[in-house]
Structures are given as structure tokens and as C-alpha cells.
Amino acid sequence: MDSTLAATASQWVTETNSALNIHLGNADTAEAVLQALEKDAAADTNQDSTDEEAEEESGADIIRFHPAFTYPIYGEHERVFGYKGLAINLHYAAGSLATYVDVRYKKNISTMESSLPIQLRADDVETPLLQVLSDSAMCRTKEEFASRVVKDTERFEPPGCKIHEYTRESIQYEVYLGDFSSEVVRRYHERMQTFALFFIEGAQFIDATDERWKIYMVFEKLVLEGHASACYSLVGFTTVYGFYHWPDMKRMRISQFLILPPYQNMGHGSALYRVVYGELVRDSKIVDLTVEDPSAVFDDMRDLCDLRYLLAQNAFDGITAPVSLAEIKKLGIRYKLARRQITRCLEIALLRQLAVKKDPKAYSEYRLFVKRRIYAQNSDLMSSMDADEKKQRVRDTYKAVEEDYHRIIALI
């Protein structure tokens, strides 16, 4: 491609993470929905209005955000070619997740006259998106979508069984549990699962024919003025899989865990995790709870939840370093946490105690206890090192571990 053609082509490239706009909405009337759709489209292509203005003027309650990832849909570079002013609007009814896709743009290269020696064509942006959305939830026209939003605002009820409720800033939230033995849960999960692609790196759709999956969902519950029933909005969800454990037990693993961006940093992730963990702790058939490829943010949240629970249960009272493997195993069995997690919580709790007691001898014992664990876990990686190199590696690792533990302790 010559420089002139390359320069021309580069002007028509759009970053899909910015171009794709996700909308969750409730509304009283179809007219309010239609007005909001048009104002959102104008804001996306002309940048001359704000989400808050659209909500206030239209009477529709709509929240808007962008995905973190679009590579599962538009490829690893997360770009499309052939448009200027491109806006890919993905509209959802906030509770039922009825869906409408509205693609707008100012210019399409396929329709432009050009003196270039070849005809450039715009990428198809709608078909790849439709392939990861639920066909049963799809509305083909904006009028159909507006009607669905109004109907679902009034009538939608979350799938599954309500197992918990809590309040944040005078707003009520409810947690529901379901599995794929329910057709209603299966269909709702089909609509919900696309969010995993947007916000969980490396996420893939799970097998909806496997009834060993459990789906926990959090909904915001609002009682709107003039409405006889409550209005629900999806806040987040987690998928948990049950593995067989001999002879008649199960090990549970959290696979996907997501709180939608408008509801993040409000305590909903911690609330959902506590519900999941609490359910499993009370189940005599569950051995423990593990997590599949957790992010650093999830690890922090889980550490804080587990530590607060264990400290409230006085799990580490009377325990000092060094702690035997038998005692660690006993704690893991009692509190249904895998060895790595119960060990981490134990080490943080012991360091927290030392920060209060200021006992140099106890601190020295603690350091040796943690360093032995570090060496044991990394012995294979350090097998080619000489003695001095091994000692330095363990010292450096311990320093980083203790700094991280102090960071967690400050948050408890």
C-alpha cells in the first residue's frame, strides 16, 4: 500500500472500545424511550449533549458506559475500518436485557467517491456483534424495543430464587440464585453472558447444557412513583461450577465474577462474594471454594472478605508462627478455603497481630515461617541457583509479600 493510500485509510479507522456504547434503561412510556434513543445517538455522533440531559429531558432512566474489551467481537486490535463518527449503540432494558442495536455514523467509505485506484469498503460492524447477543432478546426496530422497555419496567421479575437482600444508600438490592435446569434462568443467562466478553479478559461463554453451573445475580430494586410493582436493574453476576469430590462431596469454583461499571466501587462485589461464600459454608456437601484465574482487583476484594469473616469468627485466636501444615489444613477444612487462600489469610492475620504486639522475637519467627513457605513453593524455580542467590531471592520475595500484606491490613 503506497503512502497516499495508507494515509487515506488511516483516517477511517475507529477504536471499537470507544465507539461501542452500552445503555441500560427503564422508562414509563415508549415516547420517553424513543426520545432517549435519539438524544443518545445525537450525543454519540455530534458530541453536543450529555447523558444526564437525555435522561432528564426524556423521562427515561438510562445509564451508559463503554466496554473494557471488544476483541472477542472485532479482533485483537479492537478496531474497525471505513467510518467517521461511528457509534455502535447497544441498548438494553435494564432488567430483562431485551436488546436493540443501533449503528450510526457520519460517513461510510463504501459510499464515498474516490480517486484511489481501488474501492475501499467499510467493515461490517453489526453482524459480529449480533453473533454474541441473544437472538431471543433482540428487538428489530426501535419501536419494538421501546415497547419492551416499558413493559419490562412494569412487569419484569428476576429469574431464579431470591436468597438475600441488602441496602446501599437507601436503595434495596436483591441476590437471586438459579441454575440451568431452569429454562428461564438459561434464557436470561444467554442475554447476560455477553457482558463477560466485554469486561472479563479472556472470558468465554460457558456450557448452558451443564446443570452443575450455579448463577448468582444481583439486581437493584426500585419502587417508582406511580408504579404498583418494583422496577429491577441488573447490577452484576457470578457463575460457580460444582466439581465432584470423592466420595459424595463437591468443590465449588467461581468462574466469572462481574459487577457492571456503573455499580462498581459501591460494595456490591463484596456483598455478592459474601453471599456465595456464605451459601457454600452452610452446605455440608461442599468441601471448599476456589477461583478460576482471578484478577488482582478480585484478589483484593476476596482477601478482605475472607479476612473480615475469619477475624469475626476468631479463627486465628491463640495461633502464632510457626504454624504446622496440619493446623493450616484443619483451618482450610473448617472454613472451606483452599490451602493457598487460608495460608495467605493466616499470614496476613498474624502480621496484623504483630503490628499491635511489637514483639521482635515473634516477628523473627513469623519471618522465618513465611520464608520457609516461599522457599518451598519456589524450590523448583530456584533449583539452578547457588545458596547465596536462593537466599537473596527469598529475601526479596518476602519483602514484596510483607509490603503487600501491610497494604491489605490497612484496608481491613
Side-chain angles (χ1 to χ4, degrees), residues 193-353:
Q193 64 182 348
T194 309
F195 290 122
L197 300 184
F198 288 144
F199 297 106
I200 302 176
E201 190 165 10
Q204 297 179 339
F205 289 164
I206 63 176
D207 182 4
T209 66
D210 191 338
E211 295 183 4
R212 287 173 291 184
W213 285 104
K214 291 183 178 294
I215 317 297
Y216 294 81
M217 298 155 283
V218 183
F219 291 89
E220 179 186 63
K221 180 181 180 180
L222 295 175
V223 179
L224 303 179
E225 185 177 352
H227 285 252
S229 57
C231 171
Y232 289 93
S233 297
L234 178 68
V235 171
F237 67 93
T238 184
T239 57
V240 183
Y241 192 78
F243 291 90
Y244 170 75
H245 184 81
W246 189 88
D248 59 350
M249 307 283 280
K250 288 190 292 186
R251 302 187 70 186
M252 306 303 293
R253 184 176 70 186
I254 292 175
S255 176
Q256 300 165 337
F257 192 102
L258 174 65
I259 300 298
L260 296 178
Y263 298 99
Q264 291 176 5
N265 301 312
M266 298 169 63
H268 296 299
S270 297
L272 178 56
Y273 176 81
R274 286 193 296 267
V275 170
V276 173
Y277 178 62
E279 284 276 305
L280 303 184
V281 165
R282 291 188 293 270
D283 189 336
S284 62
K285 292 294 185 180
I286 303 300
V287 174
D288 61 18
L289 174 65
T290 60
V291 183
E292 178 183 355
D293 298 329
S295 66
V297 173
F298 182 91
D299 274 338
D300 280 356
M301 183 270 293
R302 186 191 186 195
D303 285 344
L304 289 170
C305 287
D306 288 346
L307 277 163
R308 287 166 178 160
Y309 175 79
L310 293 167
L311 292 171
Q313 298 294 314
N314 301 315
F316 307 122
D317 281 9
I319 298 178
T320 58
V323 185
S324 69
L325 290 177
E327 181 65 21
I328 293 172
K329 183 178 180 180
K330 182 179 176 182
L331 287 168
I333 292 172
R334 180 175 180 183
Y335 295 106
K336 300 190 178 183
L337 294 173
R339 178 173 162 180
R340 178 191 177 278
Q341 182 65 7
I342 194 64
T343 300
R344 179 174 171 83
C345 290
L346 170 64
E347 291 177 357
I348 295 172
L350 292 178
L351 184 62
R352 183 172 180 262
Q353 293 174 9

Side-chain angles (χ1 to χ4, degrees), residues 123-136:
D123 291 334
D124 180 357
V125 297
E126 189 166 344
T127 300
L129 182 58
L130 293 176
Q131 289 173 348
V132 300
L133 297 172
S134 169
D135 188 63
S136 68

Side-chain angles (χ1 to χ4, degrees), residues 30-102:
E31 290 76 14
V33 178
L34 293 172
Q35 184 180 356
L37 292 179
E38 289 306 312
K39 287 186 176 291
D40 281 340
D44 294 331
T45 55
N46 299 319
Q47 302 297 319
D48 60 1
S49 65
T50 66
D51 296 333
E52 289 77 13
E53 290 172 341
E55 291 173 14
E56 182 178 353
E57 292 176 13
S58 71
D61 180 15
I62 296 174
I63 53 178
R64 172 184 174 188
F65 49 100
H66 295 287
F69 311 108
T70 52
Y71 63 83
I73 303 162
Y74 296 113
E76 62 178 331
H77 297 297
E78 299 180 317
R79 295 174 181 173
V80 291
F81 171 77
Y83 302 91
K84 289 186 178 180
L86 176 65
I88 308 167
N89 293 300
L90 178 54
H91 297 276
Y92 287 101
S96 71
L97 302 184
T99 311
Y100 174 61
V101 175
D102 183 20

